Amino acid sequence: MARTVLITGSSRGIGRQIALEFAKSGGYNLVINYKENEQAAKEVLNEASKFCSCIMIRADVSKKEQVDELYNDAFKKFGFIDTIINNAGVAMSGLMMDMSENDYSYIMDTNLKGSFFVARAFLPSMIKHRFGRVINISSILGNVGASCEVIYSASKAGIIGLTKALAKEVGGYGIRVNAIAPGLIYTDMTKHLDIKNLEDNIVVGKIGECTDIAMAALFLASDKAQYINGQVLSVDGGLLI
């Protein structure tokens, strides 16, 4: 019997690749979540539907009411959603002294509050079934921080704290909570960077691909990772060794 996975922010980038890898694995139904880019979400839906049963649902995860609707719509289609991947995220670079309160709210509400809202919405059914997987997408910046990325770094560090605390809180119900901390991954958010210069600082000598994160998520969601809980898996090519 197929399990069901929800990936937030899965219309592009890392989320898109996670959705496609779960679809191709053959063991999951798929809930594709997006905020604005309906056309991109449809393209993911069309590709994923070749391999599994899937739906797409529009929702801004920073809004509790929309997350509740996301849960209700997903439940109507598939019933129990046993795996959630909190991938939706935004970034903004600049000196902290130049950042406004609105900038702070924009980043923290999506990255951290969104992860909280989604986990809180889906956890009761996981607790009822005494089974669940929560995978939160953090960042290497959540571990070490970065100049001109203060708010983003803080939001990703918060995700690590949320992951570790929640793992302790719900682990006794058969629910595993882990995080992935991607390093430099080639996406729309990084393609403007000097990739060659950055690759010189990565042990394996190259920037990562979205597939690298997707395969890590697929592993953490699987029974092969049944004894891994409350951990942060760094997928960074050895950047932080």
Side-chain angles (χ1 to χ4, degrees), residues 171-192:
Y173 297 99
I175 302 167
R176 292 194 286 102
V177 185
N178 291 291
I180 298 172
L184 289 166
I185 306 298
Y186 190 78
T187 67
D188 289 342
M189 294 173 65
T190 60
K191 64 183 181 181
H192 67 284

Side-chain angles (χ1 to χ4, degrees), residues 125-138:
S125 62
M126 293 183 182
I127 291 172
K128 178 181 178 181
H129 287 84
R130 302 189 72 83
F131 182 90
R133 306 288 182 258
V134 179
I135 301 170
N136 299 315
I137 306 300
S138 180

Side-chain angles (χ1 to χ4, degrees), residues 3 133 176 218-228:
R3 291 166 54 185
R133 306 288 182 258
R176 292 194 286 102
L218 196 58
F219 166 69
L220 287 176
S222 74
D223 292 339
K224 294 178 181 179
Q226 63 181 348
Y227 205 56
I228 299 175

Side-chain angles (χ1 to χ4, degrees), residues 81-146:
I81 288 77
D82 59 78
T83 304
I84 58 174
I85 301 178
N86 282 311
N87 167 78
V90 295
M92 184 182 298
S93 299
L95 295 172
M96 190 183 78
M97 66 187 73
D98 294 331
M99 292 292 174
S100 67
E101 183 176 352
N102 286 338
D103 295 334
Y104 177 89
S105 296
Y106 170 66
I107 296 171
M108 296 296 286
D109 285 359
T110 298
N111 296 2
L112 184 54
K113 187 188 288 186
S115 297
F116 167 78
F117 280 158
V118 173
R120 188 177 66 172
F122 285 84
L123 274 173
S125 62
M126 293 183 182
I127 291 172
K128 178 181 178 181
H129 287 84
R130 302 189 72 83
F131 182 90
R133 306 288 182 258
V134 179
I135 301 170
N136 299 315
I137 306 300
S138 180
S139 167
I140 58 168
L141 300 190
N143 288 318
V144 299

Side-chain angles (χ1 to χ4, degrees), residues 184-187 189-202 205-209:
L184 289 166
I185 306 298
Y186 190 78
T187 67
M189 294 173 65
T190 60
K191 64 183 181 181
H192 67 284
L193 301 174
D194 184 351
I195 300 299
K196 181 62 177 69
N197 183 57
L198 293 170
E199 288 179 332
D200 291 339
N201 297 312
I202 302 173
K206 68 183 184 70
I207 194 169
E209 302 287 342

